[in-house]
Amino acid sequence: MARIVMKFGGTSMAGIERIRNVANRVKAEWEAGNQVAVVVSAMAGETDRLVGFCREASPLYDPKEYDVVVASGEQITSGLLAITLQAIGVPARSWLGWQLPIRTTAAHASARIEDIDTAALDASLARGEVAVIPGFQGMTEERRVTTLGRGGSDTSAVAVAAAMQADRCDIYTDVDGVYTTDPRIVPRARKLKRVTYEEMLELASVGAKVLQTRSVGLAMKEGVRVQVLSSFIDGPPASSLPGTMIVGEEEIDDMERQLITGIAHDKNEAKVTLTEVPDRPGAVAAIFNPLADANINVDMIIQNIAHSAGSTDVTFTVPSAELARAIDVLSKAQVAIGHRDLFHDTRVAKISIVGVGMRSHAGVAATMFKTLGERGINIQAITTSEIKVSVLIHEDETELAVRVLHTAYGLDAEDEAA
């Protein structure tokens, strides 16, 4: 007998027929003798609808009441799934965040899970019940409902799996695993059997949309084995590993390890350049401190060669959604910064190669630069980590860059089987 957490996203819960499909998958795990907890998202589009109601009611809504409203989407799907499971002979009940309870910080709309009391959950599982838990929500010490931020149901599932010491957390999405790159761009992309936590964390942070970044970080911290599967494809039971496992590096032997695991792209970047910034100590801090105070994340940073007049140009990237705020912040700080002009460009894309094999192999970045250069793709900025290299290019060259790099690193396959 195993303890399994199954998480289903909004597209998997989008209507009663979809919920019946989910119920049948849950029943299969339960009939196999496993103890099963299910974490569900709201129906696709429902959270956006509820957020719209809050904004329509008042642009300056109370975040505490906002959480009460938007958390209701998951409450509905958890109840509906429990009803559907009962209808097919599976003993099930729903557990809202405050009933377990799932305790969180008081940062409404972006709370973080602090603790999950599993006593009631353990007793329910021991009775042979399937526990259905709404993702995305919790409770403060003051017993106010909180939400974890968009995509928070993945984090809920991993946190529940860690608290109940589950053998595995299966996250069902609209894709059947993690691929070497986006199959819509590269049809010969391969589905990966296993990916390390570090690689998945990097891939999620640079554009891969398979898993939410916070959930991967939590899985790595708590050692939760996560499997990515599709709820739209019939196939073998999840225990036979038909998806992609996200695991510790020790579970991947040298025969499976490859130099580059995946290539990700992100068009949600904007480039900002400040010209003729005074070339003196503290000048860079004058740029990035105000951005940090405004909670604007900065990614790539380039400081160009100093001009003869004792000044330099500084280029960096921010999320496209934060560009307007970044420009406003920098414009207000112009006197303190001392720059002459501010230019911005949203027609850029970030291309990233990720792989733990970079740690022990030289020339990985050189291959990337050479491959892009041979196809006439200009690199505007570069950033690196121990297992990642990212470059900024013109957005029109995104698909070409992904395809040529995928081939250059030997990731192409004749079919999609890993």
Side-chain angles (χ1 to χ4, degrees), residues 96-104 115-118 120 138-139 143:
L96 302 186
W98 60 268
Q99 291 175 312
L100 285 175
I102 298 173
R103 299 185 182 92
T104 74
D115 176 64
I116 300 178
D117 188 336
T118 62
M139 181 190 74
R143 300 184 64 81

Side-chain angles (χ1 to χ4, degrees), residues 156-224:
S156 297
V158 172
V160 169
M164 62 183 271
Q165 298 182 323
D167 296 276
R168 197 176 68 243
C169 179
D170 292 337
I171 295 185
Y172 287 82
T173 69
D174 53 1
V175 296
D176 63 342
V178 180
Y179 280 74
T180 49
T181 196
D182 188 340
R184 293 169 298 183
I185 295 177
V186 182
R188 294 173 66 188
R190 293 184 291 115
K191 188 174 74 175
L192 299 163
K193 290 181 180 179
R194 290 177 175 84
V195 177
T196 70
Y197 295 123
E198 288 180 278
E199 289 170 329
M200 194 66 242
L201 193 59
E202 289 282 17
L203 286 168
S205 69
V206 295
K209 308 299 183 185
V210 179
L211 290 175
Q212 197 253 3
T213 306
R214 276 173 61 188
S215 69
V216 182
L218 182 60
M220 181 166 64
K221 175 177 176 288
E222 300 293 338
V224 176

Side-chain angles (χ1 to χ4, degrees), residues 52-270:
F53 285 153
C54 291
R55 290 172 175 167
E56 186 177 351
S58 172
L60 300 175
Y61 50 74
D62 180 351
K64 299 181 181 66
E65 302 304 338
Y66 166 92
D67 276 353
V68 172
V69 174
V70 299
S72 65
E74 282 75 12
Q75 178 173 329
I76 291 169
T77 50
S78 61
L80 287 173
L81 180 56
I83 290 171
T84 307
L85 285 166
Q86 292 167 6
I88 60 175
V90 179
R93 68 151 290 181
S94 62
W95 294 89
L96 302 186
W98 60 268
Q99 291 175 312
L100 285 175
I102 298 173
R103 299 185 182 92
T104 74
T105 63
H108 288 275
S110 59
R112 291 187 174 272
I113 296 174
E114 294 184 324
D115 176 64
I116 300 178
D117 188 336
T118 62
L121 179 60
D122 288 339
S124 175
L125 295 174
R127 293 192 296 269
E129 295 177 347
V130 170
V132 185
I133 303 167
F136 181 59
Q137 65 173 244
M139 181 190 74
T140 67
E141 287 186 3
E142 291 75 30
R143 300 184 64 81
R144 293 301 301 257
V145 172
T146 57
T147 62
L148 308 183
R150 302 308 294 267
S153 291
D154 282 356
T155 302
S156 297
V158 172
V160 169
M164 62 183 271
Q165 298 182 323
D167 296 276
R168 197 176 68 243
C169 179
D170 292 337
I171 295 185
Y172 287 82
T173 69
D174 53 1
V175 296
D176 63 342
V178 180
Y179 280 74
T180 49
T181 196
D182 188 340
R184 293 169 298 183
I185 295 177
V186 182
R188 294 173 66 188
R190 293 184 291 115
K191 188 174 74 175
L192 299 163
K193 290 181 180 179
R194 290 177 175 84
V195 177
T196 70
Y197 295 123
E198 288 180 278
E199 289 170 329
M200 194 66 242
L201 193 59
E202 289 282 17
L203 286 168
S205 69
V206 295
K209 308 299 183 185
V210 179
L211 290 175
Q212 197 253 3
T213 306
R214 276 173 61 188
S215 69
V216 182
L218 182 60
M220 181 166 64
K221 175 177 176 288
E222 300 293 338
V224 176
R225 301 173 78 246
V226 176
Q227 183 175 201
V228 179
L229 306 125
S230 173
S231 60
F232 298 95
I233 298 175
D234 293 329
S239 59
S240 65
L241 307 183
T244 298
M245 289 296 301
I246 316 300
V247 295
E249 194 170 341
E250 66 279 359
E251 286 198 44
I252 302 180
D253 61 36
D254 289 338
M255 291 296 291
E256 294 179 299
R257 196 179 306 280
Q258 52 192 18
L259 181 60
I260 296 298
T261 296
I263 298 171
H265 69 281
D266 187 359
K267 292 185 178 181
N268 299 311
E269 295 276 323

